[in-house]
Amino acid sequence: MTHWIWEYDGYLPAEERLRESLCTLGNGYFATRGALPECDADDVHYPGTYAAGCYNRLTSEVAGRQVENEDMVNLPNWLPLRFRVRGEQWLVPDTAAVLEHRQLVHLSSGMLERMTRYDLGKGRTLAVRQLRIVHMADPHLAALRTEFTAEDFSGEVDVEAALDGAVTNAGVARYRELDGRHLTHVHTGTATPDTVWLRCRTRMSDIRVGMAARLTTDEPASNTHASECAVQRVRLRLTPDRTVTVDKTVALHTSRDPAISDPLRAAIDRVSGAPGFDDLLESHLTAWDQLWRRAELDVPGDAGAILRLHLFHVLQTLSPHTADLDAGVPARGLHGEAYRGHVFWDELFVLPYLNLHFPEVSRALLHYRHRRLGQARAAARRIGRQGALYPWQSGSDGREETQQLHLNPRSGRWLPDHTHLQHHVGSAIAYNVWQYCEASGDAEFLHTKGAEMLLQIARFWADSATYDDRLGRHRIRGVVGPDEYHDACPGASQPGLDDNAYTNVTAAWVLTRTLDVLDDLPEPRRRELVERTGLDGGELERWQDVSRTLHVPFHDDVVSQFAGYGDLAELDWDGYRERYGDIRRLDRILEAEGDTVNRYQASKQADVLMLGYLFSPAELQGLFHRLGHRLDEDTWRRTVDYYLARTSHGSTLSGLVHGWVLARARRAEAWTFCQEALKGDIADLQGGTTGEGIHLGAMAGTLDLVQRGLTGLETRRGALWLDPVPLPELSSYGFALQYQGHWGVRLRMERGSLEIAVPSSGRSPIDIRLPDRSVSVQPGETCRLLLPD
């Protein structure tokens, strides 16, 4: 492992799914898992190709019920390329003798290199080297170069390349009782002697898919068309130590693409016009060079190497090509089928990073939410509320995609799923609107689509709040918080919790921020918005009232996760760790025992502490003050300690949030949680989940931990605010960012000092605010500031 190469040595079937996820290549439009091209999908290998925003809905019978699920579709497999010595068995590492096997992800170039040496017996060795790219300059192209070298023999090798349309969604074991046959009407054909094609469509969403493959080699290829497969065959003559090359170039289009008439014709035309592998690689490298310059990151040691891998996967999922798509932030990237490719609240951890590097991508991802504002308003109406209720899980059209049932693998039981009650996702969207506009200075978006979303989310929160005469405060009832473990109080007849602190405080923030935005709108635009939405003065007065009187429960001088949390039983944490070892998924353990986590003071991940992730200490204290509560440093410290002792960290986001909060509080144990966040996917800390797809929010969040968490960076009121915290384990680091039209602004932290360099341009100077001073840095200047101990 180096800062620019991620390497796996040796063939280990048990690790293959994990490696396939972490060796995935993509370009924001589509991605393909790092499976070996000669291997079919089975219990070890799972090739998968996924296009952003390409979903299909199917109905399955589960536990005697008809259950509807929408999935990100596993598209036809373009990878297949198998080989064998003439007259012998096809070579795969599971059955053939492997002398050497290495896989290297070249992060700087977005290329996967694979090298395998097969022992063929009788003193013969065949070396196979492959170079794979999913093109970053042309998002519809991918290419695979295969080099065969007979090290010590002469003979003929048969090569068979294919486009395979007989694929299903079968990459997640717990989903296999569900219907995964998303493709239909698969047809194949030959375009030219070296090019074959495949077309199909999704069964319900009727998305048409066109794929074409060109095979380039010194020998002529023959084409055949098996059931749902287009196959190209070639026979190579090998002599000792002479390398023979086969190049496979593939184009992919779907009917969701703009500026095409037919996806198949577009794919054939594109692959026909594509240059050879070497020229494709050159333009691909140029595109990656440009990405790395915009996302420059310099962190030393192992942490730096892992962060660069995280950044690589973020860029492959959400690249500048994403700006042209109608797609959201898939929680598991384009790397696998976990969570069915749905969009959750993970953008809360992703957009703050993108805002300062690729604001055009952030804007596009917010457009995805705005296009579904009508669906969110309809969802609110269905439960008798005003405003917009965004879904906890979103897919193609913005309806609620959260599953009705989920499987506990420990007990084998299908259980009701109430996570759709996580209405706080609306606050996450509002937060992202505000953060994007503050970082980019995009007043046009804030005044139009941003204001519309903020208004309707605020309207939902105000209408959800009911006044309690006994408390003299407003309450929000029947929700689920970020913790997710708790979905009801013990013995309750209905799901949902009352007064989740995170939900109520963020709702108050949304109401307050929306009132500020409405006040600042240009009068003509404000008039338009009022006319379109029926907003009146009485409604605004209610927003003011609710934003100041939402109830935040406390117990034992700490903030309560929800009303009644302090009355729950304490869990025997030591006993459960002794019995089970890994108790991250404590909810599954307890359910398998016939118990429920609803009875205990036990959280899956940060809930109350998420407030310390979103808001600086000063802003959080201000929010509580507005709500009539005093949140001093001692109360917050007690609250942090209280939940640290009662959290199982059953999510990759948990280590990230706890590391962030503890770092801001200058706590010595911060680095332990930061390391867990860094290693979440590479070490598969959640027990086999990474093989089903990376955890994109946690990956992006670790980047933002360096960018904003450790520097205390905030973008507000037209300035960059910095309040760095010393972290002994990471005292020297640097990065570049884009801020309100300034490209390539470099920040460099060293022990006791901060350097800021602003590239030359015609822009105005950047105002920098630190706790004890303010400076203005002109374009073309570098400013070095000494920091207090």
Side-chain angles (χ1 to χ4, degrees):
M1 177 180 70
T2 71
H3 274 216
W4 289 105
I5 296 177
W6 195 262
E7 181 175 354
Y8 292 104
D9 196 3
Y11 179 69
L12 298 173
E15 292 187 7
E16 194 64 13
R17 290 289 181 99
L18 172 65
R19 295 183 182 186
E20 288 174 356
S21 287
L22 294 176
C23 292
T24 293
L25 298 183
N27 57 25
Y29 174 78
F30 80 100
T32 298
R33 288 169 58 83
L36 298 175
E38 67 267 32
C39 295
D40 296 326
D42 56 23
D43 290 339
V44 175
H45 310 279
Y46 193 72
T49 291
Y50 311 96
C54 188
Y55 293 97
N56 186 62
R57 189 181 307 280
L58 294 174
T59 300
S60 308
E61 183 172 332
V62 177
R65 295 172 57 180
Q66 294 293 306
V67 175
E68 186 178 86
N69 287 291
E70 185 175 69
D71 291 79
M72 183 170 67
V73 177
N74 184 16
L75 296 177
N77 183 14
W78 66 270
L79 277 181
L81 191 145
R82 60 180 182 170
F83 41 87
R84 64 182 177 188
V85 174
R86 183 181 180 183
E88 299 184 16
Q89 296 295 314
W90 296 107
L91 293 171
V92 292
D94 302 294
T95 56
V98 175
L99 299 175
E100 180 183 358
H101 181 74
R102 296 174 67 203
Q103 287 174 289
L104 300 90
V105 182
H106 297 268
L107 304 178
S108 62
S109 57
M111 181 173 66
L112 176 60
E113 180 179 13
R114 170 271 181 99
M115 293 172 286
T116 307
R117 294 174 65 239
Y118 284 105
D119 183 353
L120 305 179
K122 302 177 183 178
R124 301 170 301 162
T125 302
L126 178 66
V128 180
R129 178 174 180 257
Q130 290 180 319
L131 303 177
R132 184 192 309 181
I133 59 174
V134 174
H135 209 269
M136 188 54 82
D138 187 329
H140 299 281
L141 289 177
L144 174 67
R145 166 164 284 181
T146 307
E147 299 173 347
F148 298 98
T149 305
E151 295 185 359
D152 41 25
F153 74 100
S154 297
E156 292 179 323
V157 169
D158 291 332
V159 176
E160 184 177 282
L163 299 176
D164 181 9
V167 298
T168 64
N169 277 50
V172 180
R174 60 188 176 279
Y175 300 165
R176 287 178 187 165
E177 290 188 42
L178 307 175
D179 190 350
R181 298 174 295 107
H182 292 282
L183 301 178
T184 187
H185 293 89
V186 180
H187 301 280
T188 63
T190 298
T192 63
D194 64 353
T195 301
V196 296
W197 55 262
L198 182 149
R199 70 179 177 195
C200 60
R201 63 181 62 207
T202 56
R203 288 171 60 189
M204 297 298 292
S205 54
D206 201 31
I207 298 171
R208 290 173 291 130
V209 179
M211 189 176 282
R214 184 184 71 204
L215 202 67
T216 305
T217 186
D218 292 337
E219 302 295 333
S222 62
N223 304 326
T224 61
H225 300 284
S227 175
E228 301 183 313
C229 285
V231 181
Q232 296 173 284
R233 295 187 176 93
V234 64
R235 179 163 291 165
L236 308 176
R237 176 68 185 174
L238 302 186
T239 56
D241 298 322
R242 174 178 168 267
T243 299
V244 177
T245 300
V246 177
D247 289 340
K248 182 179 184 180
T249 307
V250 175
L252 168 66
H253 276 276
T254 80
S255 55
R256 300 182 77 247
D257 298 341
I260 66 168
S261 61
D262 172 66
L264 177 59
R265 173 48 54 190
I268 293 172
D269 289 347
R270 191 168 296 269
V271 83
S272 298
F277 186 91
D278 292 330
D279 290 337
L280 278 175
L281 182 59
E282 183 176 352
S283 57
H284 175 72
L285 292 175
T286 299
W288 268 106
D289 284 344
Q290 293 170 351
L291 287 182
W292 286 119
R293 285 201 300 270
R294 289 180 66 178
E296 181 181 329
L297 177 71
D298 179 18
V299 176
D302 289 346
I306 297 170
L307 285 166
R308 200 175 299 279
L309 178 73
H310 287 184
L311 178 52
F312 177 74
H313 284 297
V314 171
L315 295 177
Q316 292 193 117
T317 307
L318 302 168
S319 80
H321 298 300
T322 308
D324 297 325
L325 304 176
D326 177 31
V329 177
R332 305 300 285 273
L334 300 174
H335 297 60
E337 295 162 14
Y339 300 168
R340 300 182 177 87
H342 291 169
V343 178
F344 294 68
W345 72 328
D346 297 72
E347 62 208 58
L348 185 62
F349 303 89
V350 176
L351 263 64
Y353 177 80
L354 294 177
N355 292 340
L356 292 169
H357 300 276
F358 303 95
E360 74 278 18
V361 177
S362 291
R363 181 181 171 116
L365 295 169
L366 291 171
H367 273 289
Y368 167 86
R369 292 298 194 178
H370 183 264
R371 291 187 189 101
R372 289 151 183 82
L373 179 59
Q375 186 73 256
R377 294 183 64 195
R381 287 194 298 271
R382 281 194 292 273
I383 63 170
R385 305 272 177 83
Q386 297 181 25
L389 170 59
Y390 276 95
W392 175 238
Q393 297 188 32
S394 181
S396 59
D397 62 7
R399 76 181 79 173
E400 180 60 77
E401 301 293 352
T402 299
Q403 62 271 27
Q404 301 169 38
L405 300 171
H406 68 269
L407 177 67
N408 181 355
R410 280 188 174 269
S411 67
R413 286 189 285 267
W414 288 90
L415 307 167
D417 192 310
H418 301 303
T419 54
H420 66 279
L421 295 175
Q422 291 192 74
H423 298 166
H424 62 80
V425 66
S427 296
I429 294 167
Y431 182 89
N432 279 330
V433 167
W434 181 252
Q435 289 291 327
Y436 162 72
C437 293
E438 286 284 270
S440 66
D442 191 345
E444 186 274 335
F445 184 85
L446 179 62
H447 293 166
T448 55
K449 295 178 173 63
E452 291 169 9
M453 286 190 282
L454 287 170
L455 186 154
Q456 296 296 352
I457 295 167
R459 179 174 267 170
F460 174 80
W461 284 132
D463 197 42
S464 297
T466 57
Y467 191 74
D468 187 314
D469 290 326
R470 181 180 59 84
L471 290 173
R473 305 189 71 83
H474 284 90
R475 309 182 70 181
I476 295 176
R477 300 177 182 272
V479 300
V480 171
D483 160 39
E484 291 188 339
Y485 273 179
H486 295 88
D487 61 6
C489 287
S493 59
Q494 296 292 326
L497 304 163
D498 297 340
D499 301 317
N500 173 254
Y502 174 84
T503 299
N504 286 12
V505 173
T506 55
W509 178 89
V510 171
L511 289 162
T512 304
R513 187 62 63 215
T514 305
L515 287 165
D516 293 342
V517 169
L518 292 174
D519 283 344
D520 291 341
L521 280 180
E523 192 281 330
R525 173 55 187 154
R526 180 186 169 96
R527 181 179 177 183
E528 288 180 358
L529 195 60
V530 167
E531 290 173 346
R532 288 180 58 184
T533 61
L535 191 67
D536 60 37
E539 191 171 2
L540 295 180
E541 288 178 8
R542 175 171 170 77
W543 292 10
Q544 284 280 7
D545 184 31
V546 173
S547 73
R548 295 179 183 277
T549 59
L550 276 169
H551 179 49
V552 179
F554 284 74
H555 72 276
D556 299 335
D557 294 323
V558 301
V559 181
S560 297
Q561 186 169 308
F562 53 83
Y565 186 89
D567 298 327
L568 300 179
E570 290 283 10
L571 184 79
D572 180 8
W573 290 91
D574 291 337
Y576 271 88
R577 288 191 178 98
E578 184 176 344
R579 288 166 60 189
Y580 291 99
D582 185 349
I583 60 168
R584 286 183 173 88
R585 291 310 305 264
L586 185 63
D587 57 332
R588 293 175 174 174
I589 291 172
L590 288 168
E591 193 279 330
E593 291 183 344
D595 204 346
T596 172
V597 74
N598 281 330
R599 295 181 54 235
Y600 299 100
Q601 296 184 36
S603 299
K604 174 184 177 183
Q605 58 188 324
D607 195 299
V608 173
L609 301 193
M610 269 297 301
L611 295 171
Y613 181 85
L614 294 187
F615 305 114
S616 69
E619 187 171 9
L620 187 57
Q621 289 172 9
L623 279 168
F624 272 73
H625 178 75
R626 182 183 176 90
L627 287 166
H629 297 288
R630 185 168 181 265
L631 186 71
D632 55 27
E633 290 185 8
D634 287 341
T635 303
W636 183 246
R637 177 184 51 77
R638 286 194 301 271
T639 300
V640 170
D641 288 341
Y642 185 87
Y643 289 104
L644 268 177
R646 292 165 175 82
T647 302
S648 71
H649 306 293
S651 163
T652 54
L653 295 172
S654 191
L656 166 68
V657 174
H658 284 86
W660 182 298
V661 169
L662 291 171
R664 297 303 307 167
R666 292 169 166 80
R667 296 275 288 268
E669 64 266 45
W671 185 242
T672 299
F673 289 98
C674 293
Q675 284 184 306
E676 174 151 330
L678 287 170
K679 295 178 181 178
D681 272 331
I682 65 168
D684 202 6
L685 293 182
Q686 294 297 326
T689 62
T690 302
E692 303 166 350
I694 61 164
H695 297 83
L696 190 67
M699 284 191 169
T702 59
L703 301 169
D704 202 35
L705 173 66
V706 174
Q707 175 178 270
R708 294 192 310 134
L710 300 184
T711 62
L713 189 154
E714 296 180 84
T715 54
R716 52 186 171 94
R717 299 203 296 272
L720 284 179
W721 300 68
L722 293 159
D723 184 13
V725 294
L727 194 63
E729 297 87 351
L730 191 58
S731 58
S732 173
Y733 55 91
F735 54 86
L737 53 82
Q738 181 177 336
Y739 174 67
Q740 297 197 358
H742 290 276
W743 289 55
V745 178
R746 286 182 168 82
L747 276 72
R748 180 82 204 169
M749 294 291 306
E750 300 286 351
R751 193 180 300 274
S753 70
L754 167 65
E755 183 178 283
I756 305 165
V758 180
S760 297
S761 74
R763 306 287 299 180
S764 301
I766 296 179
D767 290 330
I768 306 294
R769 309 285 176 87
L770 283 86
D772 61 343
R773 80 201 95 156
S774 298
V775 297
S776 181
V777 185
Q778 296 281 346
E781 288 186 350
T782 297
C783 177
R784 186 175 179 86
L785 304 170
L786 296 179
L787 301 174
D789 293 334

